[in-house]
């Protein structure tokens, strides 16, 4: 069969709108996607059987080595909301605060907060049929409620651009306003602290940590950036603030989020490093700042990122062995720690200022002279 005929046949078999409501772009490769999905469907079926056994009889989900392994291999769509709620702590918070979400919506409102949210509603997923005003029901109202409730709940953050895309994905997966609110709280309040605050200190710090990891693992790329004076925030700020939403394919983003809710923000470093390493030769061919920026956009497209299972396997391919952590070179980022005691360092023994990276760190025995890099186990 000629390629044109294969493409036409695949276009007829693959729906124009994906299972999450997103319209496929005009240049979408239906034939390549159909080939990938036929293989991925077998993997999904096997994972669904294993997850059904794990969750049999309404059994709760607790963090463990087994759950970690299962999550890294993907959570089936039918179990995703339940598992996210459990491993992130969102379910526990919701159970402790019955009715709190609805009280937030019924309470006093900030006109500035409402205006900021309304401004972004029509910009949120214009390619998703469920977020259009003509949709029934229209998810714009649900999105507005979740963002308004969260901005009221966390006045230090309020509303920040990027949160609309994150809340939108949560709504598509949970199909539940209250659960989406508590998952957003888990992300913004605990997993990614200071990413969405007015100063965005956590976001800025984690981008600097990524730059240091690139210097360590991909020095040629780091040299290219430094040679052209390119700031990493110019290249990857959207990756981090949108958690790869609207950057990578939907199913790939959801696989990343499976790990994000269970293991924390270190998965963001893994994904970023995998993208850069996989396309290192392509990036190194850049000859100017605009060329570098364009190549960083291009590496988020194509077969490598569409084939989500292979992509996630690549992201974990260089995991460090368990056991004693390796000593890593420290980076020169400023750090603002004050000691609660003079004893051994532990997360619970610190009072930390907002400038701290949100990522899990390798905790040394005592105060580090320099900022330690995250251990990506």
């Amino acid at each position: 069969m000629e390629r044109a005929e294969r493409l036409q046949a695949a276009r007829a078999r693959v729906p124009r709108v994906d299972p999450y409501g997103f319209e496929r772009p005009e240049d979408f490769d239906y034939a390549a996607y159909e080939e990938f999905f036929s293989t991925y469907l077998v993997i999904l079926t096997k994972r669904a059987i294993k997850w059904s056994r794990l969750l049999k009889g309404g059994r709760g989900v607790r963090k463990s080595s087994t759950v970690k392994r299962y999550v890294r291999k993907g959570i089936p769509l039918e179990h995703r909301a339940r598992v996210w709620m459990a491993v992130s702590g969102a379910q526990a918070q919701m159970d402790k605060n019955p009715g709190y979400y609805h009280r937030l919506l019924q309470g006093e409102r900030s006109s500035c907060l409402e205006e900021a949210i309304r401004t972004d509603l029509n910009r949120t997923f214009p390619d998703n049929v469920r977020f259009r005003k003509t949709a029934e029901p229209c998810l714009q109202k649900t999105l507005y409620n979740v963002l308004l409730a969260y901005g009221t709940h966390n006045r230090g953050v309020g509303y920040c651009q990027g949160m609309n895309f994150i809340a939108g994905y949560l709504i598509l997966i949970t199909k539940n306003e209250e659960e989406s609110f508590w998952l957003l709280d888990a992300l913004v309040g605990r997993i990614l602290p200071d990413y969405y605050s007015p100063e965005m200190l956590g976001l800025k710090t984690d981008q600097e940590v990524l730059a240091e990891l690139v210097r360590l693992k991909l020095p040629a790329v780091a040299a290219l950036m430094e040679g052209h004076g390119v700031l990493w925030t110019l290249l990857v700020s959207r990756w981090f603030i949108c958690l790869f939403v609207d950057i990578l394919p939907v199913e790939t983003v959801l696989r990343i989020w499976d790990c994000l809710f269970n293991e924390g923000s270190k998965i963001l470093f893994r994904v970023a490093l995998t993208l850069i390493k996989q396309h290192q030769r392509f990036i190194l061919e850049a000859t100017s700042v605009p060329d570098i920026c364009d190549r960083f956009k291009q590496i988020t497209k194509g077969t490598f990122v569409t084939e989500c299972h292979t992509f996630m396997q690549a992201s974990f391919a260089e995991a460090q062995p368990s056991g004693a952590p390796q000593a890593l070179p420290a980076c020169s980022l400023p750090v603002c720690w004050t000691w609660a005691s003079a004893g051994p360092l532990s997360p619970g023994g610190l009072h930390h200022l907002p400038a701290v990276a949100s990522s899990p760190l390798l905790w040394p025995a005592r105060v580090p002279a320099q900022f330690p890099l995250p251990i990506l186990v």
Side-chain angles (χ1 to χ4, degrees):
M1 186 184 294
E2 295 290 334
R3 175 172 170 76
E5 292 177 349
R6 289 203 309 273
L7 286 173
Q8 188 174 358
R11 184 182 287 269
R13 289 189 295 265
V14 177
R16 186 181 61 85
V17 177
D18 74 15
Y20 308 99
F22 291 97
E23 292 180 320
R24 304 192 194 277
E26 288 298 321
D27 60 351
F28 186 76
D29 191 334
Y30 285 86
Y33 178 79
E34 187 177 46
E35 183 179 350
F36 149 70
F37 197 75
S38 63
T39 303
Y40 189 47
L41 190 59
V42 176
I43 297 169
L44 287 175
T45 302
K46 291 179 179 177
R47 302 315 308 164
I49 293 170
K50 288 181 177 291
W51 274 101
S52 294
R53 288 174 183 163
L54 183 69
L55 302 173
K56 188 176 181 180
R59 196 179 305 163
V61 182
R62 294 184 179 180
K63 289 189 175 184
S64 66
S65 58
T66 298
V67 168
K68 181 178 180 179
R69 187 173 72 253
Y70 275 36
V71 168
R72 286 185 172 189
K73 293 180 179 180
I75 305 170
L77 180 58
E78 62 267 29
H79 300 308
R80 190 164 260 144
R82 176 182 171 187
V83 176
W84 283 4
M85 288 290 289
V87 298
S88 68
Q91 186 66 54
Q93 288 298 312
M94 189 170 78
D95 292 345
K96 289 177 185 176
N97 298 278
Y100 178 66
Y101 172 72
H102 298 288
R103 290 196 297 274
L104 288 171
L105 292 177
Q106 294 163 5
E108 186 178 347
R109 300 185 175 190
S110 162
S111 58
C112 292
L113 175 64
E114 289 185 291
E115 182 60 29
I117 294 170
R118 285 199 187 99
T119 299
D120 276 355
L121 284 182
N122 287 330
R123 303 172 186 169
T124 307
F125 303 138
D127 58 340
N128 191 298
V129 297
R130 299 176 193 173
F131 281 90
R132 290 178 184 162
K133 290 182 178 179
T134 54
E136 186 56 48
C138 174
L139 291 184
Q140 280 195 15
K141 176 60 176 174
T142 305
L143 177 62
Y144 174 81
N145 286 347
V146 171
L147 293 173
L148 179 64
Y150 190 76
T152 305
H153 162 72
N154 188 344
R155 296 181 185 274
V157 170
Y159 171 71
C160 171
Q161 285 187 336
M163 288 170 60
N164 54 324
F165 293 108
I166 294 166
Y169 260 47
L170 295 174
I171 290 165
L172 288 171
I173 297 303
T174 65
K175 301 179 176 62
N176 182 293
E177 276 189 35
E178 188 174 10
E179 289 183 358
S180 297
F181 166 81
W182 287 110
L183 283 169
L184 185 63
D185 180 56
L187 281 172
V188 177
R190 297 190 298 281
I191 297 173
L192 303 169
D194 292 318
Y195 260 49
Y196 304 96
S197 62
E199 297 82 12
M200 293 184 167
L201 292 175
L203 175 69
K204 293 172 183 176
T205 304
D206 276 8
Q207 289 176 109
E208 290 297 326
V209 171
L210 175 63
E212 200 65 33
L213 286 167
V214 173
R215 288 188 193 101
L216 175 68
K217 294 175 175 291
L218 303 167
V221 175
L224 177 71
M225 303 297 121
E226 292 168 6
H228 287 277
V230 179
L231 298 176
W232 279 97
T233 186
L234 182 67
L235 303 173
V236 302
S237 59
R238 284 191 68 241
W239 294 6
F240 281 80
I241 200 167
C242 294
L243 308 182
F244 294 100
V245 172
D246 230 23
I247 295 162
L248 297 179
V250 180
E251 195 61 44
T252 306
V253 173
L254 295 175
R255 289 289 301 271
I256 293 167
W257 283 25
D258 289 346
C259 300
L260 179 64
F261 280 116
N262 188 53
E263 299 183 49
S265 65
K266 62 185 177 181
I267 186 61
L268 303 180
F269 296 108
R270 282 190 174 282
V271 170
L273 287 170
T274 299
L275 283 169
I276 297 167
K277 181 178 181 180
Q278 176 69 18
H279 300 93
Q280 180 174 199
R281 183 177 298 177
F282 175 70
I283 292 169
L284 292 175
E285 292 172 354
T287 57
S288 66
V289 173
D291 194 10
I292 292 171
C293 294
D294 182 62
R295 287 170 189 266
F296 266 79
K297 289 179 182 177
Q298 291 186 53
I299 66 174
T300 61
K301 298 174 173 52
T303 303
F304 180 63
V305 295
T306 299
E307 296 181 355
C308 56
H309 194 67
T310 305
F311 179 82
M312 294 305 291
Q313 286 178 324
S315 295
F316 289 109
E318 295 186 3
Q320 292 172 348
S322 58
Q326 288 179 265
L328 289 178
C331 70
S332 57
L333 295 174
V335 65
C336 299
W337 294 113
T338 58
W339 285 89
S341 71
L345 177 60
S346 69
L350 294 171
H351 299 299
H352 58 90
L353 300 180
V356 66
S358 66
S359 318
L361 303 176
L362 170 60
W363 301 101
R366 290 190 177 273
V367 182
Q370 294 175 301
F371 194 77
L373 296 182
I375 293 297
L376 305 180
V377 176

